[in-house]
């Protein structure tokens, strides 16, 4: 059974930073992609960032580009989302997800999901 467990969320003032972690287990994650999504109250879940388990390419949503970075530790089977210069509009529940097929930003392409972690940014 695949498990994705997020951690690192919390409450932070605007301009602050947080690092989210997503620990994966239950399958061989040498292929496929890992993504971060977020969902604010009353809004649809949106793509934030993604990367593959191999290679150096990452994909970052325009809304967070220049402030958020995604990285991984293959040995720990963990993916990180470093969030800097946080804004109140970044407030959302952040989810980690695994895509075992072709790359896509669409949430429907991601098979496995974690429970998420809440990020709240005050102004």
């Amino acid at each position: 059974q695949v498990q994705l467990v997020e951690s690192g969320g919390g409450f932070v003032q605007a301009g602050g930073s947080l690092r989210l972690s997503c620990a994966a287990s239950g399958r061989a994650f040498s292929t496929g992609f890992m993504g971060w999504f977020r969902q604010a109250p009353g809004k649809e879940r949106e793509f934030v960032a993604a990367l593959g388990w191999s290679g150096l390419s990452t994909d970052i949503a325009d809304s967070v580009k220049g402030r958020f970075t995604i990285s991984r530790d293959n040995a720990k089977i963990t993916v990180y989302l470093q969030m800097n210069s946080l804004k109140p509009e970044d407030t959302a529940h952040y989810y980690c997800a695994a895509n075992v097929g072709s790359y896509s930003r669409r949430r429907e392409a991601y098979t496995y999901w974690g429970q998420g972690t809440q990020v709240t940014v005050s102004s």
Side-chain angles (χ1 to χ4, degrees):
Q1 182 72 16
V2 173
Q3 280 195 319
L4 302 177
V5 180
E6 303 96 333
S7 61
F11 186 93
V12 64
Q13 290 190 330
S17 298
L18 285 173
R19 188 177 81 156
L20 305 184
S21 299
C22 172
S25 63
R27 78 182 295 273
F29 282 96
S30 57
T31 59
F33 304 90
M34 297 295 292
W36 285 98
F37 291 75
R38 67 185 182 184
Q39 187 166 18
K43 295 188 177 182
E44 291 195 354
R45 194 170 298 188
E46 64 175 358
F47 170 82
V48 176
L51 85 173
W53 285 105
S54 61
L56 301 176
S57 295
T58 62
D59 187 15
I60 308 291
D62 287 344
S63 59
V64 302
K65 193 169 290 184
R67 300 188 297 120
F68 291 12
T69 57
I70 185 171
S71 60
R72 67 178 191 264
D73 184 329
N74 288 52
K76 295 181 178 179
I77 322 178
T78 299
V79 177
Y80 304 98
L81 185 68
Q82 178 66 43
M83 306 185 296
N84 299 329
S85 301
L86 282 161
K87 304 175 181 180
E89 51 263 44
D90 295 318
T91 295
H93 207 69
Y94 283 72
Y95 296 90
C96 172
N99 174 348
V100 298
S102 300
Y103 181 68
S104 173
R105 285 188 171 191
R106 295 172 60 249
R107 61 181 185 269
E108 293 80 5
Y110 289 77
T111 305
Y112 304 104
W113 292 82
Q115 293 299 307
T117 185
Q118 179 67 32
V119 171
T120 303
V121 185
S122 66
S123 57

